[in-house]
Amino acid sequence: MRSIRSTVAALAASGLLLAGCGLESGGAVPLPVGPDSIQPVPELEGVKITVGSKDFTEQITLGYIIEFAMAAAGADVRDLTNIQGSNSTRDAQLDGQIDLTYEYTGTGWINYLGNETPLPDSTQQYEAVRDADLAANDMVWAVPAPMNNTYALAMNKQTAEQTGVRTLSDYARLVETDPAAATTCVETEFNVRQDGYPGMAAKYEFDPAAAPRQILQTGIIYQATADGNQCKFGEVFTTDGRIIALDLVLLEDDRAFFPKYNPALVMKKSFADAHPEVAEVMAPISSTLTDQVMTELNRQVDVEGNEPADVARNWLVSEGFVTAG
């Protein structure tokens, strides 16, 4: 799902320029919208709000959802979606270059706050990252969406039938007994993150060096896993539309290792205090973002080839949040 575009394409698509101290001010919202259930909010009329996102399909789509909602509410919105990488996006927000983004609870807890052990319950994980990030960085996390875009391993149906693997415990046993049958394709980051392959191996008690692994770009892994030759198993993200399109089978995380990655609207405390209406406008949108909804939106981009801005606006229109302007 996290289909990474090239750096040049990413910068060109969002109008980003790397300048001495950081990102420039961003571009205009790409499509017009009008109010529907989101009505103009007097307190937000003309308020300058810069929206950021990371550089993969789901994040870009979520960024546009924020932008269109804020525009319908009357804000003066600037587009800084498609920032390369989690750390760059986080730094941009801490530095005040972006005001709003959707961030994942697991990413906040592990990558930004430095914890090694995730909390298995979604609510507890959210409350922990909310309280810790506020105390440490004056960052406010709104109530998260129900969708959970976490890591998983996947395989095609033929591999499932041949190996009998259904769970990550089964996979761990296969690595130990027949490592050649467990060739696994992963992206660079997952291969080294503690919430990725090394941590998974520790949780499931197998030697990560025993499993043959290939490092591939995220977008390539899905098709290679579906083909089943180069990759018997592949790292995927659970709300990626290509899982359905390619008929992949997810391995059950039976020891509940992978963190919960529920996206929540994140902003600086100063911004949240100055504009409490923002969280109020976004709350009904976030509550509607289920796994099924996000998987379908991702599928429309990654499988059908539609633009994230079109997909985001069409969904908001179909849900009655905005009109097409």
Side-chain angles (χ1 to χ4, degrees):
M1 183 208 64
R2 300 185 185 188
S3 54
I4 307 299
R5 301 180 182 182
S6 69
T7 302
V8 173
L11 298 180
S14 59
L16 299 184
L17 294 174
L18 294 177
C21 58
L23 304 169
E24 297 223 354
S25 59
V29 177
L31 297 170
V33 294
D36 198 342
S37 66
I38 297 176
Q39 288 291 306
V41 178
E43 294 85 353
L44 293 179
E45 187 66 34
V47 172
K48 296 183 183 300
I49 297 176
T50 302
V51 177
S53 82
K54 305 171 199 180
D55 59 345
F56 57 87
T57 294
E58 181 170 290
Q59 270 279 298
I60 298 167
T61 304
L62 288 172
Y64 285 137
I65 285 173
I66 300 172
E67 291 182 14
F68 294 138
M70 291 296 100
D76 179 6
V77 181
R78 303 299 291 174
D79 172 24
L80 266 180
T81 53
N82 221 342
I83 300 171
Q84 190 176 29
S86 295
N87 290 336
S88 296
T89 306
R90 172 71 166 189
D91 289 345
Q93 188 159 37
L94 292 175
D95 291 342
Q97 295 168 302
I98 62 175
D99 300 306
L100 295 175
T101 190
Y102 267 115
E103 187 52 271
Y104 301 98
T105 51
T107 302
W109 184 245
I110 294 172
N111 291 59
Y112 303 153
L113 295 169
N115 298 284
E116 293 187 358
T117 304
L119 280 69
D121 178 77
S122 291
T123 300
Q124 291 177 351
Q125 181 67 91
Y126 159 66
E127 291 174 347
V129 73
R130 175 197 64 189
D131 296 346
D133 209 14
L134 180 62
N137 301 302
D138 278 340
M139 297 297 287
V140 172
W141 290 65
V143 175
M147 58 167 281
N148 176 29
N149 177 20
T150 192
Y151 288 115
L153 290 189
M155 57 191 167
N156 65 22
K157 289 186 175 179
Q158 182 179 7
T159 298
E161 293 170 0
Q162 290 175 344
T163 63
V165 168
R166 297 292 181 271
T167 68
L168 288 177
S169 291
D170 296 336
Y171 171 82
R173 285 190 290 271
L174 185 67
V175 169
E176 293 177 340
T177 60
D178 189 4
T183 301
T184 305
C185 293
V186 298
E187 62 174 351
T188 302
E189 195 171 347
F190 182 79
N191 196 49
V192 298
R193 281 171 58 141
Q194 285 308 304
D195 58 340
Y197 203 91
M200 181 188 74
K203 180 71 172 183
Y204 284 92
E205 302 177 281
F206 69 90
D207 180 4
R213 295 198 300 284
Q214 295 193 39
I215 308 298
L216 297 178
Q217 292 181 350
T218 307
I220 298 174
I221 292 174
Y222 290 83
Q223 187 61 58
T225 304
D227 294 342
N229 296 319
Q230 185 177 5
C231 312
K232 294 299 183 184
F233 300 89
E235 166 213 351
V236 298
F237 301 95
T238 53
T239 55
D240 197 299
R242 286 169 291 189
I243 293 171
I244 296 174
L246 295 171
D247 205 19
L248 297 177
V249 179
L250 296 181
L251 279 64
E252 178 189 349
D253 182 11
D254 51 308
R255 295 190 183 182
F257 164 71
F258 288 119
K260 305 300 182 185
Y261 287 90
N262 302 103
L265 191 72
V266 179
M267 65 201 92
K268 281 189 167 183
K269 185 177 185 300
S270 57
F271 182 90
D273 289 344
H275 307 294
E277 300 83 10
V278 167
E280 295 172 7
V281 170
M282 291 301 301
I285 294 175
S286 292
S287 68
T288 310
L289 290 169
T290 63
D291 284 352
Q292 292 76 17
V293 166
M294 200 69 237
T295 299
E296 172 58 20
L297 299 185
N298 290 330
R299 188 193 66 79
Q300 291 178 27
V301 176
D302 288 328
V303 178
E304 295 185 359
N306 296 313
E307 288 297 321
D310 292 323
V311 170
R313 188 177 70 165
N314 290 343
W315 178 73
L316 287 167
V317 169
S318 71
E319 293 295 319
F321 290 117
V322 304
T323 61

